[in-house]
Amino acid sequence: MAASHGLDVVDLEFAGSAKERILRIFLEKNAEGRARLKAEIAAGTEGLPERLVEGTLSPEQLSGITHEDCAEFSRDFGVLLDVEDLIPGGEYTLEASSPGLDRKLTKLDDFRRFTGSLVKIQTFEPVRNNRHWQGRLTAENTADGNEPAITLDLAAVKQNSKSRKAGVNTVEIGLSNIEKAQLIPEI
């Protein structure tokens, strides 16, 4: 359904009590939609955000989704859910939304796409005696042979005392060790 609207599903949540259930779907423009935005920037289209035109904000950092996109998707997807009776019990609220400036990063492609962005990461197992890291995502690579890993530039963000005690400027974290990762908005 999302693809038919030119969108990708970033994440979804199904939360709430039995009486107040919420199905929340986070959407963004698909790669084609982001490519169109890049073309509009190159062509000098009027009405684009100033930071995009200046080049201080990458089109890859935006979800590119509008209120109209969310409304159309929500309407069509809601009908599909109701007709197919896909939500047992019937009572729920459907929300369609942008993933936001502090969006979650979950897949290797997310880390590749947002290379150069500030991120906050929590690991399952400590890396250099620390489970919480913040820094600029500088690279995606393979650690210990085959396992995908990311590298953070720690100098990009003021570190907490535990991170400073690690005494390093970069840290490499295996993708399988990442419990949570999200962007840090740069405004």
Side-chain angles (χ1 to χ4, degrees):
M1 178 65 69
S4 71
H5 287 274
L7 305 172
D8 286 334
V9 175
V10 174
D11 196 11
L12 58 93
E13 297 174 350
F14 193 53
S17 65
K19 291 184 179 184
E20 297 178 8
R21 297 180 304 165
I22 298 173
L23 175 58
R24 200 171 282 125
I25 302 177
F26 299 97
L27 303 160
E28 67 181 1
K29 291 286 189 189
N30 61 16
E32 292 172 11
R34 291 191 307 273
R36 275 194 301 277
L37 181 58
K38 288 178 188 176
E40 288 176 14
I41 293 167
T45 303
E46 301 257 337
L48 294 173
E50 190 176 311
R51 291 185 62 209
L52 275 176
V53 176
E54 294 170 350
T56 56
L57 182 64
S58 163
E60 289 298 324
Q61 293 175 299
L62 296 178
S63 67
I65 195 163
T66 65
H67 289 284
E68 291 79 19
D69 294 328
C70 289
E72 288 174 17
F73 172 81
S74 181
R75 184 176 43 253
D76 293 349
F77 191 59
V79 168
L80 176 68
L81 290 174
D82 292 342
V83 167
E84 297 293 328
D85 197 25
L86 296 174
I87 306 290
E91 291 292 321
Y92 68 95
T93 300
L94 175 63
E95 293 180 2
S97 173
S98 154
L101 294 175
D102 59 347
R103 69 175 288 155
K104 293 179 186 176
L105 304 177
T106 56
K107 303 175 291 221
L108 182 58
D109 287 343
D110 292 341
F111 291 98
R112 286 180 180 144
R113 177 176 161 196
F114 292 103
T115 296
S117 299
L118 291 178
V119 295
K120 179 175 20 174
I121 293 181
Q122 179 177 325
T123 62
F124 289 110
E125 298 295 323
V127 175
R128 297 186 181 264
N129 287 337
N130 192 4
R131 289 186 54 229
H132 301 273
W133 295 96
Q134 292 185 29
R136 190 160 307 279
L137 186 56
T138 59
E140 165 270 321
N141 50 40
T142 52
D144 301 329
N146 299 359
E147 182 192 2
I150 54 133
T151 302
L152 294 182
D153 174 9
L154 303 177
V157 175
K158 183 178 179 186
Q159 299 296 317
N160 64 30
S161 62
K162 211 173 199 183
S163 300
R164 282 193 307 269
K165 287 178 186 174
V168 294
N169 291 328
T170 62
V171 65
E172 188 173 282
I173 302 171
L175 209 57
S176 63
N177 191 23
I178 296 175
E179 181 177 357
K180 287 195 268 186
Q182 67 186 76
L183 293 177
I184 299 173
E186 295 183 73
I187 299 175

